[in-house]
Amino acid sequence: MSKQQNTQLRTPPDTGWMLIFTCWLLAAAGTLGSLFFSEVMGLKPCVLCWYQRIFMYPLVIIFLVGLFPLDRAVSRYALPVAIMGWCFAVYHYLVYSGYIPENLQPCSEDASCAEINLELFGLITIPMMSILSYTAIILLLFIFQRRTQS
Amino acid sequence: MKKISFVAAAVVLLLAVFAMATYLYNSQKADDANANAQKNNSVLERDYSPILGDKNAKVTIVEFFDPACGTCKAFYPFLKGAMEAYPGKIRLVMRYLPLHQGSDDVVKILEAAHQQDKFWEILSVAYETQSAWTRHHVARPDDFWKVLANTKLNVEKAKQDANSAIIEKRIQQDIADARKLNVTKTPGFFVNGKPLTQFGSQQLKDLIEMEIRSNY
């Protein structure tokens, strides 16, 4: 029995599982990070931030359910959600970098989407972190899809 | 490692990082607030500020308030209770910080009442009737004047005083001092110059009791 346990311990979790686990980790970190900005630092989320949150938060649950046991169809459900969030993140990026004029974007007075509230190391902004997380999740899901198809 | 414990470990790690970051951020912010309050200690009160309690009391509570603010109203009986619990040991200094729309006119009325030595009386009336002269977080000075008709305040004189340059100047001074002291929300409390960094009635109680213990 102990031999069996040993082999189980030594076997690394399969790559597909690790891919979805990484997706879950990204979504969970994004969720907690955004909550840190709004609840701890008191930065008011603008309208576009809210739409990105709406698509990020459920991914934590979707990926977690897809991990136990590993569901090969998880990307079918997670990918559309992640792509929606990615679109909002890119739109937000275009708004605050000035490609889309401010008067065209649907923001209220108290928290402007075009205003940059936080810059880490002088270049990383909150919308940029959002784009990066969504892009990474989408790429990992594509890789997962290819691996499971073959 | 089993997959489930792997994920559980990740959850614990993420939450620990979150809690740690929250703790570090809050203690850094509290340090900054304390340093800033110490630096601007001289603007905590002005010679015109309404003061309640014994002038020799060794514990001074400064409150930046907005008469239209519901939480300020809720804290008022709490402050009165603290002053009753430690008679002669606490003095309360009120500073104006009209953040609600329309509140600037209401604090002018309070300062006009102050000139008739009726600040505390009219402040109590303002809190008691708050729902009658505020609607959707907007203060309505006209409705407040209607309430004041039933009080001992000389309304004629108060109306003149409320529009005077001296009162305007005092209100602007209080707002400028609040900005210097980094007070962006009401109520904003300082106890013997120490800002209330974690908001809550228990935290305020602890801060007051700490100052009572170290001064008496």
Side-chain angles (χ1 to χ4, degrees):
Chain A
M1 195 187 111
S2 70
K3 205 177 175 187
Q4 199 190 355
Q5 227 173 21
N6 262 337
T7 47
Q8 202 183 16
L9 279 170
R10 276 185 195 153
T11 315
D14 52 298
T15 325
W17 192 89
M18 279 310 283
L19 284 171
I20 300 304
F21 173 74
T22 312
C23 287
W24 172 80
L25 207 58
L26 283 164
T31 298
L32 286 175
S34 73
L35 288 172
F36 186 82
F37 291 136
S38 64
E39 303 311 306
V40 180
M41 293 180 68
L43 300 174
K44 236 182 184 175
C46 77
V47 176
L48 287 175
C49 299
W50 272 114
Y51 286 124
Q52 287 161 73
R53 286 165 161 226
I54 285 166
F55 292 102
M56 184 62 85
Y57 293 1
L59 284 176
V60 181
I61 311 295
I62 294 177
F63 287 133
L64 196 63
V65 173
L67 281 173
F68 296 104
L70 182 66
D71 185 355
R72 311 227 164 254
V74 69
S75 63
R76 274 196 51 189
Y77 305 104
L79 203 51
V81 179
I83 287 171
M84 285 299 289
W86 185 85
C87 291
F88 278 107
V90 169
Y91 182 72
H92 194 179
Y93 174 81
L94 293 176
V95 165
Y96 88 77
S97 48
Y99 293 111
I100 294 173
E102 198 182 355
N103 56 357
L104 282 182
Q105 42 97 11
C107 292
S108 55
E109 269 178 271
D110 41 18
S112 164
C113 295
E115 200 179 296
I116 298 161
N117 279 323
L118 183 98
E119 273 187 338
L120 292 175
F121 319 114
L123 78 159
I124 302 171
T125 59
I126 297 175
M128 208 184 275
M129 285 190 267
S130 169
I131 292 185
L132 288 176
S133 329
Y134 275 121
T135 307
I137 288 171
I138 290 167
L139 283 178
L140 289 169
L141 284 176
F142 273 125
I143 295 169
F144 178 77
Q145 251 183 348
R146 288 198 123 191
R147 286 188 143 266
T148 48
Q149 267 167 8
S150 56
Chain B
M1 206 195 296
K2 268 190 179 165
K3 284 172 181 173
I4 188 90
S5 41
F6 191 62
V7 171
V11 169
V12 170
L13 192 73
L14 281 173
L15 291 177
V17 168
F18 186 86
M20 194 66 196
T22 302
Y23 174 77
L24 287 176
Y25 182 84
N26 282 338
S27 50
Q28 179 62 43
K29 217 173 78 173
D31 288 350
D32 290 349
N34 275 311
N36 184 60
Q38 216 162 20
K39 199 180 83 189
N40 294 300
N41 200 35
S42 58
V43 302
L44 269 172
E45 52 186 285
R46 295 279 171 184
D47 51 9
Y48 57 80
S49 299
I51 297 171
L52 191 67
D54 194 327
K55 67 172 192 285
N56 295 319
K58 289 177 188 163
V59 175
T60 298
I61 303 174
V62 176
E63 180 190 353
F64 281 86
F65 80 106
D66 180 337
C69 148
T71 310
C72 298
K73 174 185 170 174
F75 266 84
Y76 192 58
F78 173 86
L79 291 170
K80 283 278 179 87
M83 294 186 73
E84 275 165 31
Y86 302 102
K89 294 179 178 173
I90 298 176
R91 59 197 275 279
L92 177 62
V93 181
M94 299 300 271
R95 304 295 307 270
Y96 304 112
L97 184 54
L99 295 176
H100 286 77
Q101 200 186 325
S103 269
D104 44 345
D105 286 327
V106 178
V107 296
K108 281 178 188 167
I109 300 170
L110 287 177
E111 185 55 22
H114 184 37
Q115 294 197 337
Q116 295 180 32
D117 270 332
K118 289 196 171 62
F119 173 85
W120 299 99
E121 204 181 313
I122 300 304
L123 179 66
S124 295
V125 171
Y127 281 149
E128 274 161 32
T129 59
Q130 198 182 58
S131 56
W133 53 268
T134 54
R135 209 146 299 162
H136 305 300
H137 302 285
V138 175
R140 301 177 163 200
D142 289 344
D143 290 345
F144 188 47
W145 282 118
K146 275 179 213 157
V147 170
L148 292 176
N150 306 321
T151 63
K152 284 181 189 154
L153 187 79
N154 181 341
V155 173
E156 276 306 298
K157 192 178 178 311
K159 279 198 172 170
Q160 273 177 9
D161 291 343
N163 291 315
S164 69
I166 181 145
I167 285 187
E168 172 69 28
K169 214 180 135 200
R170 286 176 178 179
I171 308 299
Q172 292 309 322
Q173 184 66 64
D174 275 20
I175 294 171
D177 290 347
R179 202 163 294 157
K180 248 188 183 169
L181 290 158
N182 247 336
V183 182
T184 53
K185 294 168 188 164
T186 54
F189 290 108
F190 294 85
V191 182
N192 280 358
K194 295 187 182 77
L196 183 70
T197 48
Q198 283 284 94
F199 190 80
S201 62
Q202 187 57 47
Q203 287 88 336
L204 181 61
K205 191 167 176 262
D206 293 344
L207 189 58
I208 293 169
E209 281 171 358
M210 196 181 82
E211 286 304 315
I212 294 272
R213 271 199 303 275
S214 55
N215 285 284
Y216 288 95

